[in-house]
Amino acid sequence: MRIQEYYTPQRQDDICKLSVTDTTIPHHMEGMLRELAHEILDGAQISIDEALAQPLEFGACMEYLLQYHVLSDLVDLAERDVPRGMRKYVVRFFDYFTSVIPLGLLPESAIRLPLVAIMRQCLQIVETSPRTVVNGPVGGPTEHRLGRGYHSIMNERAAVVLCHDLLQLIVTLFTRLREHSSMVYLFFDWTNGEMVASNSELAVAALRSASSEYTAHSVRGHELFIVHTIVEYLLAPGATGQLAREALVLVVQVLAAPEDAERFVAFLLDQARVVEVLVEHMSYLHAQMPMFRPVPRTPASAVFGDAYAGPRRMAPLDRRVQNERDIKGGRAQRVDIGARLRHLLAQPSLLRARATQDQRESRILAAARTALKHVDAFFVCWELLDEIAAVAHNEHVLRVVQSQLMNGFLRTHVEPALLTSAAARNQALTMVSYLTDMITATHSTHVLDALFVVLLGPDLMPERAPQPTVERPSMLSPEDQQMLDMIEDDALRAEAAQLLMPPGSTNFGSDAAASEIHPVRAALVSWLTLDDGTHLSLNTLRLFDTILSTMNQFAFTSLVLRNFLDEPMPESDAPAREFYSGPALGRGES
């Protein structure tokens, strides 16, 4: 290679004083990419399965690259970072190279091992870069609880750009792995039981400590450091955070795709705990959000970049068709490698144009100097969890998403906030406004079901009008009745009444208790007719309109269809009762 001419003993002193843009190295690296693209283009018109099944015939350029370990040499040059800036050009070279090579080449050790090595190298540089803290908390077990990308900004320009390019490389890699589920074994060989996470520890902290244990290993822990890198920068500002969120969606898609996905899903949910990470983030951010008035989201808080083509960017009908195709196993579709190669060759400059590289880095640096507000970060986590539920066609993943969402956030934060805000109209108005925005941003049926069970209650039997109270003769002595009247707590009073009742007596309070309306639902319904000079009634009406506009089966049954039935179905009629039960959460199977 012409690049090696710069590293002769006679030029060592000179090369250390130069920047990579002062040399012809970017020009030679781009030339390598174009030569490889032209060579691959001649034999690229084959499908994915054909590329994996038949032996690959390498051209002269690819044969030289594999035989003489050119990629490993580039990794060594990047580690020295001589001349200055060499590392970021090597990372971008790997990004282009990974995006256009035939999928069947990824298992080659001369490609796979240098690819892992350059990612490990970049992560180590990024993690050790000096930082400035911008958002607490600082110190203690909750330090950087929302990830380093949210709580700090890297001081060095090169580290900021390198972090962005590292995440771009991960996105490119998993985009290729998504083309065929068998490729997941190349980078995820995790075995169950290697890492036991403590439930008392924050999920992000557990992942951070577990990933650090594998830093010294060159052949193990690929899964941990990849997921760790993504989680640390989920809430980073600008394009860096958008790439991290796209990478997480791709990881979920890739790990849930294989036929024997159990151990990969177990790693994702039990070891990496990615769903728990998002729920913990939402719980913390919800507690930090202003409740005296609703704060709108800023336009710069987009969850994904413009190039993202996931379910959120599809029309509802297209999204449904794509979901059906994915469920039936149609994810490994034919990929036109030739189109990718022609697109790469059509670009006027890949690496060599210095002005283009400077403009690109300026955009990355400008976005990295800002920080997401609490409201923006909360909705980013909510939409990201919704997107994960939309792309994960795995029953175990969906059950964990619903369970974690309900038990870790909705019932512990949303429900108490709605019930306690009845006395504070401003807080109620804010919560209703946030809920409306959350429902509008939700596309997954499973996330909507979990949310509507908390808001509307799990009961789908026909509602009954309140019955007038009928005085019943008391079976208690005056002394016992006086003692019960002194108990203020309703639950304790009912329990004491059960103990004091004579044997064989009937509990007249059971029917009334069974017909009680869900407390959150009752509060929302009462706000519809509230006339207190605020906009709470109008905002609550807008909330119910938004709920119905989702066309969610559980919501329609709970609000409308349940009341068109004449009488409840008997308990013995199990098939008919399925109509009332709705989603699994409606039966308490979270």
Side-chain angles (χ1 to χ4, degrees):
M1 291 189 304
R2 298 293 300 274
I3 297 175
Q4 294 177 338
E5 297 177 359
Y6 285 92
Y7 296 91
T8 59
Q10 294 80 8
R11 305 184 66 174
Q12 285 297 311
D13 294 336
D14 296 335
I15 197 68
C16 293
K17 301 175 183 177
L18 296 177
S19 171
V20 69
T21 54
D22 298 329
T23 69
T24 59
I25 291 178
H27 177 82
H28 295 313
M29 294 177 72
E30 181 173 334
M32 269 201 302
L33 285 171
R34 293 187 181 275
E35 287 294 328
L36 288 169
H38 280 295
E39 183 178 272
I40 298 172
L41 190 58
D42 297 335
Q45 305 302 324
I46 54 177
S47 66
I48 298 173
D49 293 327
E50 291 172 347
L52 291 173
Q54 67 182 17
L56 294 172
E57 296 182 0
F58 306 139
C61 295
M62 184 64 70
E63 187 69 35
Y64 181 89
L65 183 141
L66 297 176
Q67 183 176 355
Y68 291 95
H69 302 283
V70 174
L71 296 181
S72 297
D73 292 341
L74 288 177
V75 173
D76 294 338
L77 297 180
E79 187 172 8
R80 296 173 57 189
D81 199 27
V82 175
R84 295 188 310 273
M86 182 66 180
R87 183 181 294 113
K88 64 182 179 183
Y89 276 88
V90 172
V91 174
R92 295 205 63 206
F93 176 89
F94 271 91
D95 182 42
Y96 283 120
F97 178 79
T98 306
S99 66
V100 298
I101 63 172
L103 194 62
L105 283 175
L106 272 182
E108 292 288 336
S109 60
I111 294 177
R112 178 173 55 88
L113 297 181
L115 182 58
V116 172
I118 192 65
M119 290 192 294
R120 282 181 173 273
Q121 182 187 130
C122 293
L123 177 60
Q124 184 177 6
I125 298 299
V126 169
E127 291 294 294
T128 57
S129 175
R131 296 170 178 270
T132 300
V133 177
V134 293
N135 289 317
V138 180
T142 61
E143 183 179 12
H144 295 153
R145 63 172 300 155
L146 299 181
R148 299 182 189 275
Y150 183 79
H151 291 295
S152 61
I153 295 176
M154 286 173 281
N155 298 336
E156 298 178 358
R157 293 166 52 96
V160 175
V161 176
L162 188 64
C163 181
H164 173 277
D165 292 345
L166 170 60
L167 289 166
Q168 178 63 67
L169 178 57
I170 294 175
V171 168
T172 301
L173 172 62
F174 278 87
T175 302
R176 300 307 310 275
L177 295 179
R178 186 178 56 177
E179 295 173 11
H180 203 284
S181 59
S182 66
M183 288 295 177
V184 68
Y185 300 94
L186 297 176
F187 297 91
F188 281 78
D189 56 356
W190 189 265
T191 56
N192 293 332
E194 288 190 32
M195 181 181 107
V196 179
S198 173
N199 292 329
S200 61
E201 188 178 14
L202 287 174
V204 65
L207 180 60
R208 189 179 297 142
S209 60
S211 178
S212 63
E213 296 177 2
Y214 285 88
T215 303
H217 293 276
S218 59
V219 296
R220 297 189 63 199
H222 306 333
E223 313 87 350
L224 278 177
F225 88 79
I226 289 175
V227 178
H228 165 64
T229 305
I230 294 170
V231 169
E232 288 284 15
Y233 296 94
L234 284 177
L235 297 179
T240 301
Q242 292 173 348
L243 288 172
R245 295 186 284 270
E246 183 177 353
L248 184 61
V249 173
L250 288 169
V251 167
V252 173
Q253 283 184 297
V254 170
L255 295 187
E259 294 180 359
D260 56 340
E262 290 80 6
R263 67 188 183 98
F264 301 115
V265 171
F267 164 79
L268 195 68
L269 301 177
D270 301 331
Q271 274 75 39
R273 298 161 64 183
V274 294
V275 175
E276 191 175 348
V277 165
L278 292 176
V279 173
E280 287 178 353
H281 286 3
M282 286 192 295
S283 301
Y284 175 79
L285 291 166
H286 183 269
Q288 310 301 318
M289 290 165 62
M291 286 297 171
F292 57 91
R293 64 179 178 86
V295 176
R297 299 175 61 181
T298 57
S301 62
V303 184
F304 302 106
D306 296 335
Y308 181 72
R312 300 195 86 73
R313 299 295 171 81
M314 298 180 183
L317 182 58
D318 295 337
R319 185 164 56 245
R320 182 178 303 177
V321 171
Q322 183 65 36
N323 287 341
E324 291 295 330
R325 185 182 301 157
D326 290 345
I327 292 173
K328 294 178 181 178
R331 297 185 204 184
Q333 304 170 16
R334 180 184 176 92
V335 175
D336 189 356
I337 301 178
R340 291 181 178 176
L341 293 166
R342 285 188 289 269
H343 175 73
L344 182 141
L345 293 172
Q347 297 185 43
S349 174
L350 299 175
L351 299 172
R352 61 187 178 184
R354 183 171 182 175
T356 303
Q357 303 304 323
D358 290 343
Q359 292 176 1
R360 172 181 171 274
E361 293 181 8
S362 297
R363 290 193 299 268
I364 296 173
L365 292 169
R369 299 302 175 187
T370 60
L372 287 178
K373 297 180 180 179
H374 290 311
V375 174
D376 294 334
F378 170 81
F379 278 99
V380 163
C381 291
W382 176 267
E383 293 187 32
L384 180 57
L385 184 63
D386 174 65
E387 188 74 355
I388 288 175
V391 302
H393 304 288
N394 181 282
E395 291 298 328
H396 187 195
V397 175
L398 295 175
R399 284 197 302 269
V400 170
V401 168
Q402 287 187 320
S403 177
Q404 290 284 347
L405 185 60
M406 292 189 68
N407 300 323
F409 173 63
L410 295 177
R411 283 175 175 157
T412 58
H413 289 76
V414 173
E415 184 174 349
L418 286 170
L419 295 178
T420 58
S421 63
R425 299 305 182 203
N426 288 337
Q427 183 177 348
L429 183 66
T430 302
M431 277 302 304
V432 168
S433 178
Y434 286 150
L435 281 173
T436 304
D437 292 341
M438 289 164 61
I439 296 171
T440 303
T442 305
H443 299 290
S444 169
T445 303
H446 296 82
V447 175
L448 286 174
D449 285 344
L451 180 57
F452 292 156
V453 165
V454 173
L455 295 182
L456 307 177
D459 185 18
L460 294 179
M461 300 296 287
E463 295 177 295
R464 296 181 180 180
Q467 299 295 328
T469 304
V470 179
E471 293 292 335
R472 300 180 183 268
S474 175
M475 296 186 180
L476 301 177
S477 64
E479 293 80 6
D480 291 342
Q481 187 65 50
Q482 184 179 4
M483 183 179 64
L484 285 178
D485 294 339
M486 296 174 62
I487 302 177
E488 297 181 357
D489 187 85
D490 294 337
L492 291 177
R493 189 187 308 115
E495 185 177 354
Q498 287 285 345
L499 296 175
L500 295 173
M501 288 287 262
S505 60
T506 304
N507 182 10
F508 295 109
S510 59
D511 293 338
S515 62
E516 287 183 359
I517 191 172
H518 186 63
V520 176
R521 181 192 185 106
L524 293 174
V525 171
S526 67
W527 293 343
L528 287 172
T529 57
L530 193 65
D531 186 13
D532 60 349
T534 66
H535 296 288
L536 180 58
S537 60
L538 291 177
N539 278 268
T540 308
L541 181 63
R542 178 169 169 258
L543 171 63
F544 278 101
D545 180 64
T546 305
I547 292 175
L548 292 174
S549 68
T550 62
M551 303 297 290
N552 181 269
Q553 181 181 358
F554 176 81
F556 255 88
T557 306
S558 178
L559 292 175
V560 181
L561 299 181
R562 63 191 287 189
N563 298 313
F564 283 89
L565 299 172
D566 295 331
E567 59 183 11
M569 291 291 181
E571 293 290 336
S572 59
D573 195 355
R577 286 187 58 82
E578 287 299 320
F579 173 76
Y580 300 107
S581 61
L585 294 175
R587 299 192 296 269
E589 300 175 4
S590 60

